[in-house]
Amino acid sequence: MSIAVVGAAAGDIRGGASDDPAREGATSREGIGRLPRSILISGHSLTDMPFPGLLHQALTVLGGDLTVTSQHFPGASIRERLGRSGDGAADSARSRDSARPDFAEVLAQRSFDVLIITERNGLLDALAWEDTVTSLQSARQRFHSANPGAPIYFFVPWNGVSDIHAPQQWIRYEQQAHVIWSCVVATANAQSAAKGHRSDIIVLPTALALAHLTQSLTSSPQAPGFEGLDDGERMRMIFADDVHLTPLGASYVAFLTSAWLSGDAPRRPASTQDDLLTRRQVHLQDIGRRFLHEHPWPQARQERCSLARRLAFVARYVAYTGQSHRQAGPLAYGWRQFTRLLQFTWHVWRGFGHESGVPAATATTTAGGRA
């Protein structure tokens, strides 16, 4: 595997088919024919290394011969990554930084047959201040102009874990947020369809999968490789801090992403090394396979993005994300929460980028999916 750096925040990972025996019998020739050959990941620290390298490794195990190109700026929204070519981003200091190539510059490097794109993890903040729906449509149009017909996947980001020792509140939050992220992508799809673009952006339920992993690890005292660890210690095996993943956590996300992109996943190896890390990796892949069974692909469905559902999430979002502001004092905290509630209610009332008479409540989304 070789890595060629492009600027300070984008790089390529290249490699041929793996000689790993785990790929033997892992997929059919039909599955290999579906494997991507050149992937572009446009994201931030949640999609930074080691995720691109682990995704490359997972796909080569399935028989791929591919290049993974990563455009990632810490904390960057889609609008900011569009950069100089983006709508309304011309005055951004980031967009003028030559060390941070914008979306058009990365697209000019080569042809891509898959785009994986994500947004800032602050869902309603991104909708309100970064115009996620419009930015998604702009990225989609530019990617398809350079790579007609190539599938686009939306990598659902996750919020920080409010209590690493008791993650149940975070699990419930991500279960609710997944539906709203799906509604956001559905709105972008519906508005694009109204303009004559028929290819949907496909939702990768990565945050929901992490919530599933967390729930599985904290409800199974005898989880292989995690015996004797309390909930906080198990979470520290997955999360390096409150939001970024350890290599072990990133390997779980890469395993699932490779399955969603290829329509297949390697079978569990017949025999493995009996070291602690391998036991943990195998157990996480088993949890991942259960998640794939419960969330099969392709999975197209009509999301019920009703106004009542969207407004209910506003209160949930403000309460969950506002916990870090409590140190400001009760009056300042109460006022900040009240103003955030009003701001987000106004944005959500108007819809997720309501445009051209296409209501968010009737949009269709695709969760999971084959390339």
Side-chain angles (χ1 to χ4, degrees):
M1 180 185 300
S2 63
I3 301 177
V5 175
V6 182
D12 294 342
I13 301 172
R14 299 183 180 87
S18 172
D19 293 328
D20 190 330
R23 67 168 281 199
E24 192 70 32
T27 185
S28 65
R29 288 191 178 275
E30 180 186 359
I32 292 174
R34 291 194 303 266
L35 288 173
R37 294 293 179 258
S38 183
I39 300 171
L40 172 58
I41 303 173
S42 179
H44 39 61
S45 60
L46 297 187
T47 56
D48 196 354
M49 292 294 281
F51 171 71
L54 291 168
L55 177 61
H56 178 276
Q57 179 181 340
L59 286 169
T60 55
V61 165
L62 287 171
D65 180 2
L66 69 149
T67 299
V68 178
T69 301
S70 181
Q71 181 206 21
H72 52 265
F73 311 148
S77 65
I78 297 172
R79 181 186 62 83
E80 290 171 319
R81 276 175 269 127
L82 289 174
R84 291 178 294 279
S85 61
D87 297 326
D91 295 330
S92 170
R94 288 187 179 185
S95 71
R96 296 194 298 268
D97 186 348
S98 61
R100 296 173 178 265
D102 69 15
F103 197 61
E105 292 169 335
V106 177
L107 288 178
Q109 295 176 10
R110 61 172 49 84
S111 295
F112 297 98
D113 52 19
V114 166
L115 169 64
I116 298 174
I117 190 167
T118 192
E119 180 58 288
R120 279 182 176 170
N121 60 356
L123 201 170
L124 296 185
D125 283 278
L127 281 173
W129 317 126
E130 302 295 341
D131 198 0
T132 297
V133 170
T134 300
S135 297
L136 259 180
Q137 291 188 77
S138 181
R140 169 204 188 119
Q141 178 183 355
R142 288 161 195 187
F143 182 74
H144 277 163
S145 292
N147 306 277
I152 301 175
Y153 295 90
F154 183 79
F155 179 105
V156 176
W158 51 94
N159 223 311
V161 183
S162 56
D163 186 347
I164 206 73
H165 300 283
Q168 290 71 28
Q169 186 180 10
W170 175 78
I171 292 170
R172 291 191 295 271
Y173 169 81
E174 291 299 345
Q175 289 170 340
Q176 294 180 17
H178 169 75
V179 176
I180 305 302
W181 278 119
S182 297
C183 289
V184 170
V185 175
T187 301
N189 285 336
Q191 293 179 3
S192 293
K195 298 175 182 177
H197 307 296
R198 307 305 302 178
S199 178
D200 282 346
I201 298 172
I202 301 168
V203 175
L204 300 182
T206 40
L208 189 64
L210 275 173
H212 174 83
L213 171 64
T214 299
Q215 194 164 44
S216 297
L217 282 182
T218 56
S219 62
S220 176
Q222 300 305 314
F226 296 88
E227 300 93 343
L229 301 180
D230 61 28
D231 287 354
E233 291 168 327
R234 293 182 182 208
M235 290 291 287
R236 286 300 181 199
M237 297 293 103
I238 307 302
F239 288 89
D241 49 35
D242 67 328
V243 66
H244 298 99
L245 300 179
T246 63
L248 181 63
S251 71
Y252 169 81
V253 175
F255 171 80
L256 285 173
T257 304
S258 70
W260 287 318
L261 264 60
S262 67
D264 206 347
R267 297 192 185 102
R268 183 174 180 177
S271 61
T272 62
Q273 295 176 317
D274 194 24
D275 61 273
L276 187 59
L277 177 59
T278 300
R279 289 173 60 207
R280 287 173 177 168
Q281 288 174 330
V282 169
H283 183 60
L284 262 59
Q285 288 191 10
D286 288 343
I287 293 173
R289 288 187 180 88
R290 289 198 293 273
F291 184 81
L292 289 172
H293 179 74
E294 295 173 10
H295 299 81
W297 65 104
Q299 184 182 4
R301 63 178 181 271
Q302 191 82 6
E303 285 291 356
R304 301 205 41 94
C305 306
S306 66
L307 178 60
R309 187 172 219 170
R310 302 197 308 267
L311 290 177
F313 181 74
V314 171
R316 178 71 173 175
Y317 179 83
V318 169
Y320 185 81
T321 61
Q323 295 179 52
S324 61
H325 304 298
R326 287 186 179 277
Q327 65 272 21
L331 290 178
Y333 171 76
W335 176 250
R336 179 178 175 82
Q337 291 293 83
F338 177 70
T339 56
R340 293 176 77 229
L341 187 66
L342 288 181
Q343 288 171 336
F344 295 142
T345 298
W346 168 245
H347 283 284
V348 168
W349 184 276
R350 293 171 60 225
F352 294 153
H354 188 87
E355 179 184 294
S356 303
V358 181
T362 60
T364 301
T365 188
T366 307
R370 282 196 178 95

